[in-house]
Amino acid sequence: MKVALVNAAHPAIGSRMAGEHLPPLGLLAIGGPLLDAGHEVRLFDGDFAGTPPAQLAQQVAAARPDAVLLGHSGSSSAQPVLDEVAQRVRALLPGAHIILGGVFPTYHWADILRRQPCYDAIVRGEGEETALQLVNALERGTPLDTVRGIAWRCAGVPVCNAPAPITCDLDAHRVAWDLMGQRRYTYWGGQRAVLYQFSRGCTHACTYCGQRFFWRKWRCRDPQKAAAEIAMLHRDYGVRVVNFADESPAENQAAWRAFLEALIREHLDGLALVGSIRADHVVRDADFLHLYRQAGFERFLLGLESYDEAVLARLKKGSDTRVDARAIRLLRQHGILSMATLGVGFGDERLSDFWRTLRCLLRYDPDQIQFMYATPHRWTPYYKQVQDRAICQSDQRKWDYRHQVLAPQHMPPWAVTLCVKAMEAVMQARPRAIWRTLAQPDARRRAAMRWYSRIGTRVWFAELWRALVTDGQACQRTTVAQFWAAPDEAPPPAAAIQFVPNAPASSYTPIGKASLPA
């Protein structure tokens, strides 16, 4: 079967202004099993070139695929763009099978299948094995009720099969790196780059994050095999930067250390590694942080979320401010840059709270800073905490953590924007931060830091302009719950959404539940 993997252009400022893009790891991971099963697979990456939906649909249709698989890591904010692409593909290829996957579709499958007739099926959860089984079933004409892990329509009614088993062996399927073709994916200052996963899942119960529910269990690659694959990407594909997409790569300390040591044995000179890590894992590994640097890590993103211990406890972050501050100091001592991210909106801040946040950041003294806005996705516990709150952003394409979503109660949205942008300016333009960039002894990291400063400056002005002038932010009467189920788009009664009996009843996802069973 001819299969088209489609990655639509994301509208976020970071995607469009940076001028650099990473390959769609999720689609490449699905492509590997499909290729190995004998299917003809081609990647259409609209995000790489910023291809408009109409043009992307025409490119896909020109290849005359039998099945079109769409997905995007942007999930919620990317869904309206995927819908437009799928609608256009359907008009051009009425006989093709159009399949959707990703985090947002995994939980909003019933809504999507009711409102978007262009989709034939939705892959829920991990896609490698499920997408392969689905494409095989479509090719052979096998009934879809035999494919676990999908949602589809039976007699026009949305139905959801039992969840597919999780992938226990992350080395069982290969990532189809060859589908990248001649595209030069770059990051970290124009260097050839890829996304990579050493592990999947997270054992922590942060209320605002849904990755724990999506992946269902923490697992990791075989450390030696993972290091060998990264070495292959460096030597055969010319990759100079690997950006880790893991939620919590160091969850298993022994496996993580074995991975670092395996990377060191590969002698990957000139390879830079960047990723995210929990601050408490950095502190835990204080005795062997030198291995982090020897393995090639140059920057870690630390999700600090808040300076307020009460907010951290409410979010079930599992960390504290002393650990956060020490993690930044430890990384600096070992020559690794730290990017601290904080959330805005979790504590419904006042002006005095922003002042305390800035003072806390100055004490933390991270190398880089990013602010994210609290975004209540329906499948997270945080959603239930704020479902009755009003919103100030009704465009789903802007539910991307870079736009205010929850309407602030004590300040107008424009004032929150000014406070956030003022803190970013102070942190990135303070003499200490500028000196660190200019005086960085390592030429590669110095170039990367200057690259980040240039991109950050452009994004800073663009976000400020859009927030205050073009986008508009007005507190609305619409609540979070109403946004996801407006009166004219109310969910059907429970009886209208069915589950196909292809597995024991105990494995069904209960009606109305947002998450996959653990």
Side-chain angles (χ1 to χ4, degrees), residues 8-11 51 53 70 76-86 119 397:
H10 197 281
T51 310
L70 300 99
S76 296
S77 53
Q79 190 58 49
V81 184
L82 291 174
D83 291 343
E84 183 180 352
V85 173
Y119 296 115
R397 294 171 300 175

Side-chain angles (χ1 to χ4, degrees), residues 5 23-25 27-45 173-185 192-195 229 232-233 236-239:
L5 304 178
L25 178 60
L27 292 175
L28 298 182
I30 290 172
L34 290 171
L35 284 169
D36 292 343
H39 297 287
E40 182 182 339
V41 183
R42 182 177 172 186
L43 172 67
F44 294 84
D45 193 352
H173 300 296
R174 72 179 180 92
V175 176
W177 301 111
D178 47 314
L179 289 178
M180 294 188 294
Q182 300 301 312
R183 302 179 188 89
R184 192 177 188 278
Y185 292 100
R192 190 179 292 273
V194 295
L195 271 176
E229 183 172 28
M232 179 275 296
L233 289 169
D236 297 349
Y237 285 83
V239 169

Side-chain angles (χ1 to χ4, degrees), residues 411-467:
M411 301 172 65
W414 62 265
V416 172
T417 296
L418 289 179
C419 287
V420 168
K421 291 304 170 186
M423 287 189 291
E424 289 178 342
V426 169
M427 292 302 299
Q428 297 299 152
R430 60 201 165 110
R432 181 178 295 183
I434 294 174
W435 174 248
R436 280 185 186 141
T437 300
L438 296 176
Q440 169 61 243
D442 185 282
R444 276 169 49 89
R445 278 188 292 168
R446 184 168 62 250
M449 292 174 72
R450 290 177 176 176
W451 164 80
Y452 179 79
S453 297
R454 290 194 301 271
I455 297 299
T457 301
R458 292 168 56 194
V459 170
W460 188 91
F461 282 107
E463 287 186 335
L464 182 63
W465 176 260
R466 292 189 183 186

Side-chain angles (χ1 to χ4, degrees), residues 19 41 67 118 181 207 242 256-257 279 331 350 353 393 397 404 432 447 459 469 509:
V41 183
C118 54
T207 62
V242 176
W256 180 239
R257 179 164 186 163
L331 289 177
R350 302 172 186 268
D353 294 309
Q393 184 54 258
R397 294 171 300 175
Q404 290 184 67
R432 181 178 295 183
V459 170
V469 180
T509 305

Side-chain angles (χ1 to χ4, degrees), residues 266-308:
E266 292 287 350
H267 301 291
L268 304 177
D269 296 333
L271 181 67
L273 310 178
V274 297
S276 302
I277 196 169
R278 287 182 58 88
D280 53 345
H281 288 164
V282 172
V283 174
R284 179 201 67 189
D285 296 344
D287 292 340
F288 64 90
L289 280 179
H290 60 284
L291 298 181
Y292 283 51
R293 188 68 190 92
Q294 290 177 31
F297 278 100
E298 295 191 357
R299 187 190 73 185
F300 276 114
L301 183 149
L302 302 171
L304 309 185
E305 315 314 341
S306 177
Y307 74 93
D308 191 324

Side-chain angles (χ1 to χ4, degrees), residues 209-344:
C209 178
Q211 294 299 316
R212 174 170 168 263
F213 303 109
F214 181 81
W215 296 119
R216 301 158 65 185
K217 181 182 179 180
W218 189 89
R219 297 141 286 154
C220 71
R221 299 278 311 274
D222 176 273
Q224 283 70 38
K225 291 181 180 178
E229 183 172 28
I230 289 175
M232 179 275 296
L233 289 169
H234 179 55
R235 293 164 181 155
D236 297 349
Y237 285 83
V239 169
R240 306 282 290 178
V241 178
V242 176
N243 189 344
F244 284 76
D246 302 43
E247 287 79 26
S248 185
E251 200 70 44
N252 183 313
Q253 186 183 39
W256 180 239
R257 179 164 186 163
F259 176 54
L260 297 174
E261 291 171 342
L263 283 171
I264 293 170
R265 288 194 297 271
E266 292 287 350
H267 301 291
L268 304 177
D269 296 333
L271 181 67
L273 310 178
V274 297
S276 302
I277 196 169
R278 287 182 58 88
D280 53 345
H281 288 164
V282 172
V283 174
R284 179 201 67 189
D285 296 344
D287 292 340
F288 64 90
L289 280 179
H290 60 284
L291 298 181
Y292 283 51
R293 188 68 190 92
Q294 290 177 31
F297 278 100
E298 295 191 357
R299 187 190 73 185
F300 276 114
L301 183 149
L302 302 171
L304 309 185
E305 315 314 341
S306 177
Y307 74 93
D308 191 324
E309 298 283 3
V311 173
L312 291 174
R314 189 163 63 250
L315 296 177
K316 298 184 179 180
K317 180 65 180 176
S319 185
D320 60 56
T321 55
R322 289 168 297 183
V323 169
D324 294 341
R326 188 180 176 205
I328 292 172
R329 291 196 300 271
L330 284 170
L331 289 177
R332 178 167 294 124
Q333 289 170 12
H334 290 83
I336 301 174
L337 302 174
S338 60
M339 173 185 281
T341 66
L342 276 87
V344 177

Side-chain angles (χ1 to χ4, degrees), residues 17 56 60 67 96 106 123 153 162 192 215 221 239 332 366 379 401 430 453:
M17 291 194 67
L56 181 60
V60 173
T106 291
V123 173
R153 296 185 197 85
R192 190 179 292 273
W215 296 119
R221 299 278 311 274
V239 169
R332 178 167 294 124
W379 55 86
Y401 300 102
R430 60 201 165 110
S453 297

